[in-house]
Amino acid sequence: MIGLTHYLIVSLVVFALGLFCVLTRRNAIGILMGVELILNSANINYLAFARFGSGNYDGQIFAIFVIMLAAAEAVVGLAIVLGIYQTFRTIDVSATETLRG
Amino acid sequence: MDEPTSVAYLRWIPLLPLLGAALNGVAGAPLQRRFGKGVVTAIACLPVAAAFLLACRAFNDLLALPAAERLLLDRVWTWIDVGALRVDAAFAIDPLAAVMALVVTGVGGLIHVYSAGYMHDEPSYWRYFALLNLFTAMMLILVLADNLLLLFVGWEGVGLCSYALIGFWYANHDNATAGSKAFIVNRIGDFGFTLGMFLLFWTMSAAGHPTLAFRELGANAHVLADATFLGWGAATVITALMFVGATGKSAQIPLYVWLPDAMAGPTPVSALIHAATMVTAGVYLIARLDFLFVMAPATLAVIAWVGALTALLAATIGTVQTDIKKVLAYSTISQLGYMVLALGVAAPAAAVFHLMTHAFFKACLFLGAGSVIFALHHEQDLRRMGGLRAWMPVTYGTFLVSTLAIAGFPPFSGFFSKDEILWKAFSSEQGGVALWFVGWLAAGLTAFYMFRLVFLAFHGDSRIDAQARRHLAESPASMTVPLVVLAAFAVVAGFVGVPAALGGSNRIEHWLAPAFAATTEHGAHHSAALEYGLMALSVGAGLAGLALAHAMYVTGRVSADLFARFGGGVPYRLATNKYYVDEIYQAVFVAGVLRLSRLGAAFDARVVDAAVNGVAAVVRGVSRANGGFDRIVVDGFVDRVADATLLAGGVLRRLQTGSINLYLYAIVAGVVVVMIAKLL
């Protein structure tokens, strides 16, 4: 029988993958993808706790909010990536260190 | 006390001329340019005429009342109401004020008409009439004031107008100086007036009667009898101070010096202000406060002697003047001396009687002199006149009539009024033979210098230069008609005061009696024969003066040089130099004040300025120290803070690498740290 623990383990694996992706990628799009993974691991947690925990729909509604937020974040993030590309002719984030103090 | 009859028209007597003055003063210049001088004349003359009619109405209303209740009151508004002091802007008319109001508006009106002719070629015609109207208004406020404070308003107002009109032709520096002199000398008198007023109010308040209204003062004056001030009787001090004010305004010793200089003004002004009305304000003041002065016999004695000596002194100066207006000026001082003498012997009715007759004949004399000056194109020197009667018959006739009046020949008005004064000076309790003698001497001199003037100007050979003689003609009707009217009054005005000894009833004295209720009837009775004898003596003195003048200046039987060389020429030189009074005042007071001012200036420069500069140096030193502290300590602290901030910034900016990965690592590290902290 699959229980809450299984879901949490999956969620943890996805979160770890996302975090690893965010920290190691130099490609801007790769970083954005890592962020998406982190957000989805959070979604898994919401749904798991909604199913096995409180028994109401709060978690599910929050999951939908997060999906919507991820879409908006992707729009903004991709627009920034496009801007970086147009300026630097690359999407390698290590090239964009002109904002250093 | 019964409330006097209240009337509402009284305020219009001073207000109408005031409106005329305002209209001409504000809009006179454009009116004169647009519509000519006729409009200005109408604006000026009509209010005075209306005021005269109102004064007549008031006189008529007074006549209808029983003698003891003859007082009309017009309370306009409450002017001052502070603590115990309550002063109304109120006008009152009693028999005394009625005589004055009629003289001011009547003679004043005639002089307004005369001025229209005399000032016809004057460019600032409107300014002249605005000031003349303002003067009339102020004089009427003075006369009709119900209380001492309002009287003072008029008192100062007429002084101001006098100043402005003496200096009317201000482009000439001498005229401006004469105006200033008149004003300053009057201010010296005013200080006495104000002090007297303060002391009066103070003493009355202390006795429980805080008032300045004449009626209430008169009713409660008895409380002053016991009051003292600095060891003197309060009444004596108050009246002495008031008299100082009167000597300024009425040109008595020692403050008469401004009046001869005041002749710098236009001649109608001299007639109105410096002969008929304003200079009598001092006489009016004393007569108005009669109830106070009778309580101070010491002051009365001083007043009598000041008046008598002024009459004599001014008359002696008058005998040697060569300027036609100066002769009349000294004559005015002399005649004012008579009035003051009458006041001093507690005969205010005689003083007011002489004031009235003098207003007529002296105004007529001044206007006659003005007519001569007008015809001779502003020639005032008697030595360049002569024989004028052939060219100017009306002026000559009126001038002669007025001269007979002032010299005291019966039955002209001056005879009755002057004789009344001399009789009172002789017979009154405060009088005596010495006072009478001085007055009598002055009467003889008056006749002498007046006929000298007439003979030099109108008789004998003409000494007028040919240029002026070609244009010589009688003055226009606007000038001669007032002359004739005034001369007529100079003849008949005396009949209101024919003394009992000559079969008259002395109506003016009975008319004025309610105003002078405090003056007791004199106990001493003299025989009618004595009165006749004194009358004959004074007429004799007049005749002697006339005869001497005739012998000197017409027939030449007595040489004027003989007179001049008398006593080694000393009296003559003294008289021609006006007893050096101006020079003495110049040396003592003016130079003294200047020296004091210079001393003050030196003190100011050496001591006060030095102190100020020292304080400034100290303040500068303190400021410099303060500046140093500010620069070193305060600025230093601020600079160090700024340096530290810069340094910190320089170190911390290195954290901002711009590497996104590094930021992400930092976030994760931070989260891990927080979690660990949480778990612990």
Side-chain angles (χ1 to χ4, degrees), chain B residues 455-617:
Chain B
F455 293 145
L456 281 176
F458 293 99
H459 288 251
D461 298 327
S462 173
R463 299 178 296 283
I464 305 157
D465 60 53
Q467 179 74 25
R469 203 180 314 185
R470 226 171 304 133
H471 305 289
L472 205 50
E474 183 61 271
S475 300
S478 66
M479 291 166 70
T480 50
V481 169
L483 279 176
V484 171
V485 175
L486 285 170
F489 274 106
V491 175
V492 300
F495 292 117
V496 300
V498 179
L502 291 179
S505 54
N506 210 344
R507 272 191 299 251
I508 184 129
E509 197 174 323
H510 291 302
W511 167 252
L512 289 170
F516 303 131
T519 314
T520 45
E521 197 51 49
H522 312 299
H525 282 285
H526 298 271
S527 68
L530 185 63
E531 197 170 344
Y532 286 137
L534 291 178
M535 264 180 216
L537 273 177
S538 56
V539 173
L543 282 173
L546 166 60
L548 187 63
H550 191 263
M552 260 192 212
Y553 299 104
V554 180
T555 59
R557 260 187 311 208
V558 179
S559 165
D561 286 343
L562 197 76
F563 183 59
R565 278 200 300 275
F566 169 76
V570 173
Y572 178 75
R573 263 208 310 283
L574 275 178
T576 37
N577 287 303
K578 299 166 272 178
Y579 298 99
Y580 299 100
V581 170
D582 274 328
E583 284 77 6
I584 293 168
Y585 283 1
Q586 179 73 31
V588 177
F589 297 110
V590 179
V593 167
L594 277 178
R595 205 167 303 137
L596 196 69
S597 311
R598 251 178 240 127
L599 208 70
F603 179 81
D604 192 47
R606 303 244 169 83
V607 180
V608 178
D609 282 7
V612 171
N613 288 341
V615 169

Side-chain angles (χ1 to χ4, degrees), chain B residues 28 73 76 86 140 146 196 314 376 400 432 489 495 502 564 573:
Chain B
L73 193 68
V76 187
R86 187 191 143 101
L140 287 166
D146 171 55
L376 294 177
L400 186 66
F489 274 106
F495 292 117
L502 291 179
R573 263 208 310 283

Side-chain angles (χ1 to χ4, degrees), chain B residues 219-242:
Chain B
N220 300 311
H222 55 85
V223 300
L224 291 175
D226 305 322
T228 55
F229 180 75
L230 299 178
W232 294 72
T236 308
V237 180
I238 292 168
T239 50
L241 286 168
M242 290 283 186

Side-chain angles (χ1 to χ4, degrees), chain B residues 191-501:
Chain B
F191 116 92
F193 187 121
T194 41
L195 284 184
M197 186 160 58
F198 297 153
L199 189 56
L200 176 62
F201 180 71
W202 189 42
T203 329
M204 291 299 284
S205 309
H209 298 286
T211 179
L212 282 172
F214 293 122
R215 228 155 18 97
E216 292 160 33
L217 284 175
N220 300 311
H222 55 85
V223 300
L224 291 175
D226 305 322
T228 55
F229 180 75
L230 299 178
W232 294 72
T236 308
V237 180
I238 292 168
T239 50
L241 286 168
M242 290 283 186
F243 180 59
V244 171
T247 58
K249 206 52 113 192
S250 285
Q252 296 298 298
I253 293 171
L255 296 180
Y256 68 88
V257 288
W258 64 271
L259 188 55
D261 289 21
M263 297 300 125
T267 308
V269 169
S270 308
L272 178 61
I273 301 185
H274 306 119
T277 54
M278 185 193 84
V279 289
T280 62
V283 176
Y284 174 74
L285 174 70
I286 297 176
R288 174 52 76 207
L289 296 174
D290 177 55
F291 51 84
L292 283 181
F293 281 82
V294 294
M295 295 166 70
T299 313
L300 281 183
V302 172
I303 292 176
W305 275 105
V306 166
L309 290 176
T310 306
L312 183 63
L313 185 89
T316 56
I317 300 176
T319 56
V320 293
Q321 293 296 312
T322 52
D323 183 319
I324 185 167
K325 284 181 74 181
K326 285 279 165 71
V327 176
L328 292 175
Y330 281 105
S331 158
T332 303
I333 298 174
S334 175
Q335 298 301 310
L336 288 166
Y338 275 113
M339 297 173 209
V340 172
L341 166 63
L343 294 167
V345 296
V352 173
F353 182 28
H354 195 56
L355 188 162
M356 183 190 75
T357 59
H358 175 256
F360 293 128
F361 60 67
K362 186 50 68 63
C364 184
L365 285 171
F366 261 114
L367 296 186
S371 177
V372 169
I373 294 166
F374 185 74
L376 294 177
H377 298 283
H378 294 275
E379 176 58 74
Q380 301 193 5
D381 196 328
L382 282 170
R383 289 167 297 193
R384 287 197 283 279
M385 294 183 188
L388 279 170
R389 65 177 160 166
W391 284 284
M392 312 182 74
V394 180
T395 305
Y396 171 66
T398 53
F399 204 90
L400 186 66
V401 165
S402 305
T403 303
L404 288 167
I406 193 174
F409 288 111
F412 298 97
S413 57
F415 166 73
F416 297 106
S417 55
K418 190 182 288 186
D419 223 67
E420 180 76 7
I421 290 175
L422 287 176
W423 171 242
K424 286 282 160 54
F426 182 84
S427 65
S428 141
E429 279 169 25
Q430 282 85 4
V433 182
L435 280 174
W436 172 83
F437 182 72
V438 173
W440 176 79
L441 215 55
L445 285 169
T446 305
F448 172 72
Y449 68 69
M450 282 314 298
F451 278 102
R452 170 179 173 269
L453 176 58
V454 170
F455 293 145
L456 281 176
F458 293 99
H459 288 251
D461 298 327
S462 173
R463 299 178 296 283
I464 305 157
D465 60 53
Q467 179 74 25
R469 203 180 314 185
R470 226 171 304 133
H471 305 289
L472 205 50
E474 183 61 271
S475 300
S478 66
M479 291 166 70
T480 50
V481 169
L483 279 176
V484 171
V485 175
L486 285 170
F489 274 106
V491 175
V492 300
F495 292 117
V496 300
V498 179

Side-chain angles (χ1 to χ4, degrees), chain B residues 23-24 27-37 39-40 43 126:
Chain B
L23 197 54
N24 263 340
L31 281 176
Q32 186 178 325
R33 220 171 23 247
R34 265 312 259 297
F35 306 108
K37 289 173 177 163
V39 178
V40 176
I43 292 172
W126 62 275

Side-chain angles (χ1 to χ4, degrees), chain A residues 22-23 25 93 97 100-101, chain B residues 653 656-657 659 661 664-665:
Chain A
V22 163
L23 292 180
R25 294 289 138 176
V93 292
E97 290 182 358
R100 72 174 176 272
Chain B
R653 65 187 261 266
Q656 204 78 9
T657 58
S659 162
N661 293 97
L664 290 171
Y665 278 118

